[in-house]
Amino acid sequence: MSATPQKNRASRRVIAAAAGLATVGALIAAMPAGAHDRGNGHGHGHGHGHGHGHKSRTVDVQLLSFNDLHGNLEPPSGSAGTVKKTHADGTVETIPAGGVEYLATSLRTARKGNPYSVTAAAGDMVGASPLLSGLFHDEPTIEALNKLKLDVSAVGNHEFDEGATELARLQNGGCHPVEGCYKKGEKFKGADFPYLAANVTKEKTGRPLLKPYTIWKKKGVKIGFIGVTLEGTPDIVTANGVKGLKFHDEVKTINKYAKELDRKGVKSIVALIHEGGAPASTSYNYDCDSPGAGDGISGPIVDIAKGITPKVDALVTGHTHQAYVCTIPDPSGKPRMVTSASSFGKLYTDTTLTYDRRTKDIVRTSVKSANHVVTRDQPKAADMTRLIDRWNKLAAPVANRAQGWITADINGRGSTAPEKPLGNVIADAQLEGLAPADKGGAEVAFMNPGGIRSDLVYEASGSEGDGVVTYGETFTVQPFTNMMNVVDLTGAQLITALQQQVSGANEASPKILQVSKGFTYTLDLTKSGADRVVADTIELNGEAIDPARTYRVAMNEFLAGGGDGFPVLGQGTNKLVGASDLDLFNAYLAAHATASSPLAPPATDRITVVE
């Protein structure tokens, strides 16, 4: 999902020092031996057919996949930690799901009886992570993925949050260049699996940043994996995160490398794509092939799937945090499996690829796939519990500090409404912190919805007690530690910014800015494009916005750079850089969410929605 990347390195150093973590470290430049062409299938059992000592012509390969983990090692809280299931009678069940202790158990159980099993991911394994992983620059998540026996992953946009150098460190190992090694005397080993970035090249050389594909091998079976992130990554990552890089068309890139694999004799190919779609239902078991193949899904992945060469046998996708198993026709008109497993480790996809030993290709008509819930009523994987406990001990001095008190859940990520209660709190916190003349003189604040990564949940996440908001919880909501900007924008530019929420790059999938108190307008969803914003209803503190007047506007540095499809916000002048978004959020909670007077969920009455 689009979000507000870039972590504040200065504040991170303070946090690390507070936890007693920082030591001296250095990068390791070399790839781990054998990380690219690992041929190790996991699990034991029998193949397809018997053959009385002779190999059968076909063998079933199990492809297990997931996407958008975002460092959620512990079970996600609130609505972010549930999936919906629609039953035959039409009732909808909400199932608690996710947590790497359960994901490990699910994958290990699924592999049993499958000697040919490969596990792949479609990006955003790290980035926008809760404190347990984010505080340590996502080393805990890479360690967990190694234990999960992940074979390969595409990069997602969030793998670029801290830039190409940090991504290379996650792949290759070495301790953080500023904060050093988190385990005394032990260097971070990096990922055992290859990160694939076929459509990301270095501007200076034109060469791929990382390996474009890898070939998985097992007893004569060969499957090529090509990994790409969405071409629009620079639009949803801060400029520093993608500096010196070029992002190319997903379809052209995959088709290019599919040809290369084909020439090498690799006929079975899977594309790992960090871009996705939107099924017509949010239930994980929705049939998106009803009434016809792919009829129940929309979004960018549909056109991408229709353009990718028939040489590719299956598409594992992500980015939209949706759950679907669809067959979308390839350019020759034949159905091809396209899957996504929600987010945060709540689901995994189990796909059967029947491999023909004679043609070395996948029998496409035999491909079967289904999403499965990572339920929390199964045993926890003991090694993952130990991993979580070890990192939690390091994080505890920072994570458990109380920041405020609330009376009930304040939904952010879990709200599907254009205006989110937690969005209002965050925007109000930014306005309050930056309104003083010496802090920027802000009159209004805007917050991008993708930057709100969680809900504030009333139920205790640990031993702090119900209603207590800890630093770990506020960090999970706003993990990027983006610096705040206050800029001059004209009323005309403000109107354009609201129109850009629902037009241009955001027309197909609107991004509704969260606005601070006193800013109101009507959003008419019965109309299309920019007309959805009813211009003559836009008011600040009861007065119509004056197109000719200059306003002081607060927003994070990502939005102030024109990110998330808001180029007009990048035109601000007279910029003042303020505190980080997380610091302002915590300061607001300290002032307005005390134990004696806890904060209640605010009303959502700033944006009037016509549907």
Side-chain angles (χ1 to χ4, degrees):
M1 288 296 225
S2 65
T4 330
Q6 175 114 33
K7 298 170 183 172
N8 174 10
R9 291 169 184 79
S11 73
R12 279 307 182 76
R13 287 198 292 274
V14 171
I15 293 169
L21 304 171
T23 55
V24 179
L27 287 174
I28 292 174
M31 283 294 292
H36 286 327
D37 286 342
R38 297 184 354 158
N40 47 334
H42 311 293
H44 305 281
H46 59 275
H48 196 264
H50 301 288
H52 302 290
H54 300 289
K55 283 184 178 176
S56 63
R57 176 164 170 174
T58 62
V59 60
D60 283 348
V61 177
Q62 178 189 55
L63 171 61
L64 301 176
S65 57
F66 56 98
N67 51 276
D68 295 276
L69 181 65
H70 289 288
N72 278 265
L73 301 179
E74 295 178 296
S77 60
S79 59
T82 62
V83 294
K84 288 185 168 63
K85 177 179 183 178
T86 301
H87 293 280
D89 62 1
T91 57
V92 178
E93 180 185 3
T94 300
I95 307 169
V100 77
E101 294 158 298
Y102 303 112
L103 179 61
T105 299
S106 289
L107 293 178
R108 290 164 183 170
T109 302
R111 289 176 187 139
K112 287 175 183 172
N114 290 283
Y116 295 86
S117 184
V118 57
T119 303
D124 277 8
M125 295 295 98
V126 300
S129 306
L131 188 79
L132 177 62
S133 186
L135 182 63
F136 307 104
H137 297 276
D138 284 310
E139 289 182 24
T141 296
I142 297 297
E143 188 181 324
L145 292 171
N146 289 344
K147 289 180 182 294
L148 280 177
K149 304 292 186 194
L150 181 63
D151 288 294
V152 57
S153 180
V155 294
N157 53 289
H158 282 282
E159 264 82 14
F160 294 92
D161 282 355
E162 293 193 59
T165 302
E166 176 63 5
L167 172 56
R169 186 183 76 88
L170 292 180
Q171 174 73 89
N172 302 329
C175 298
H176 193 270
V178 174
E179 293 169 18
C181 302
Y182 297 119
K183 296 185 200 172
K184 196 171 181 180
E186 191 178 325
K187 285 181 179 176
F188 171 59
K189 293 175 182 173
D192 289 346
F193 56 91
Y195 259 124
L196 305 181
N199 65 331
V200 186
T201 58
K202 299 174 186 175
E203 281 183 349
K204 282 185 180 176
T205 65
R207 295 174 63 84
L209 174 69
L210 295 169
K211 202 171 164 76
Y213 60 80
T214 191
I215 302 167
W216 178 85
K217 301 170 186 173
K218 174 84 173 181
K219 294 182 182 175
V221 174
K222 287 195 279 189
I223 299 177
F225 288 87
I226 304 167
V228 298
T229 185
L230 70 155
E231 185 183 6
T233 291
D235 300 327
I236 52 175
V237 174
T238 52
N240 282 343
V242 294
K243 195 174 181 181
L245 302 176
K246 272 192 158 183
F247 292 76
H248 304 273
D249 181 86
E250 304 95 337
V251 173
K252 288 178 183 174
T253 303
I254 291 168
N255 289 351
K256 169 188 169 182
Y257 287 111
K259 262 189 198 173
E260 190 170 310
L261 283 166
D262 188 60
R263 283 198 303 269
K264 288 186 172 184
V266 179
K267 308 297 184 184
S268 299
I269 302 172
V270 175
L272 307 174
I273 308 172
H274 192 71
E275 179 60 291
S281 165
T282 56
S283 288
Y284 88 89
N285 61 332
Y286 166 69
D287 180 7
C288 54
D289 282 341
S290 177
D295 284 346
I297 188 168
S298 58
I301 200 61
V302 177
D303 286 339
I304 290 172
K306 287 178 178 176
I308 289 174
T309 171
K311 292 181 193 298
V312 175
D313 299 295
L315 278 53
V316 176
T317 73
H319 187 56
T320 57
H321 291 203
Q322 301 298 309
Y324 48 83
V325 173
C326 304
T327 52
I328 299 173
D330 70 14
S332 71
K334 291 178 183 172
R336 176 169 52 195
M337 196 63 73
V338 180
T339 68
S340 176
S342 184
S343 63
F344 301 167
K346 293 181 289 189
L347 298 176
Y348 71 92
T349 312
D350 189 338
T351 303
T352 301
L353 303 172
T354 300
Y355 182 90
D356 187 321
R357 293 183 187 275
R358 194 175 301 169
T359 64
K360 300 180 181 177
D361 207 348
I362 300 300
V363 183
R364 286 259 297 271
T365 53
S366 298
V367 175
K368 297 179 186 68
S369 189
N371 275 326
H372 300 277
V373 181
V374 176
T375 60
R376 298 183 194 168
D377 57 2
Q378 59 185 319
K380 294 180 179 181
D383 58 339
M384 294 300 179
T385 303
R386 288 192 296 272
L387 180 150
I388 289 170
D389 289 348
R390 188 175 75 246
W391 288 103
N392 261 332
K393 278 176 189 167
L394 286 177
V398 175
N400 297 336
R401 206 164 57 226
Q403 302 298 309
W405 284 259
I406 56 176
T407 64
D409 289 0
I410 304 179
N411 286 338
R413 196 74 177 185
S415 169
T416 57
E419 181 184 349
K420 306 172 193 308
L422 189 52
N424 287 356
V425 173
I426 291 169
D428 288 351
Q430 294 174 355
L431 177 62
E432 183 169 297
L434 301 171
D438 62 336
K439 303 291 185 186
E443 300 169 83
V444 63
F446 291 153
M447 175 64 193
N448 58 311
I452 307 168
R453 303 305 300 185
S454 185
D455 303 333
L456 278 186
V457 179
Y458 178 79
E459 186 181 351
S461 59
S463 59
E464 75 276 11
D466 290 347
V468 180
V469 179
T470 64
Y471 184 88
E473 290 165 343
T474 60
F475 184 98
T476 298
V477 170
Q478 294 214 277
F480 302 109
T481 325
N482 257 324
M483 303 312 291
M484 291 299 299
N485 292 179
V486 185
V487 299
D488 284 349
L489 288 169
T490 65
Q493 287 172 317
L494 287 184
I495 294 167
T496 298
L498 295 185
Q499 291 170 334
Q500 287 175 349
Q501 300 176 115
V502 289
S503 63
N506 293 328
E507 181 160 7
S509 183
K511 292 190 178 79
I512 306 303
L513 296 167
Q514 306 300 286
V515 299
S516 53
K517 61 184 176 184
F519 192 88
T520 57
Y521 71 98
T522 296
L523 189 65
D524 188 347
L525 297 181
T526 66
K527 296 180 179 176
S528 61
D531 290 340
R532 290 170 173 169
V533 174
V534 184
D536 61 7
T537 66
I538 305 171
E539 294 182 349
L540 179 59
N541 299 323
E543 292 187 8
I545 289 289
D546 179 355
R549 195 197 135 187
T550 296
Y551 296 84
R552 293 291 284 164
V553 184
M555 66 192 97
N556 59 51
E557 60 188 334
F558 172 62
L559 276 180
D564 253 359
F566 292 97
V568 72
L569 295 181
Q571 297 169 10
T573 58
N574 193 21
K575 179 169 75 173
L576 183 143
V577 178
S580 76
D581 51 8
L582 182 60
D583 286 346
L584 292 181
F585 186 35
N586 284 329
Y588 185 85
L589 290 174
H592 298 277
T594 63
S596 59
S597 182
L599 183 68
T604 50
D605 54 4
R606 301 170 190 183
I607 305 172
T608 301
V609 180
V610 179
E611 293 184 277

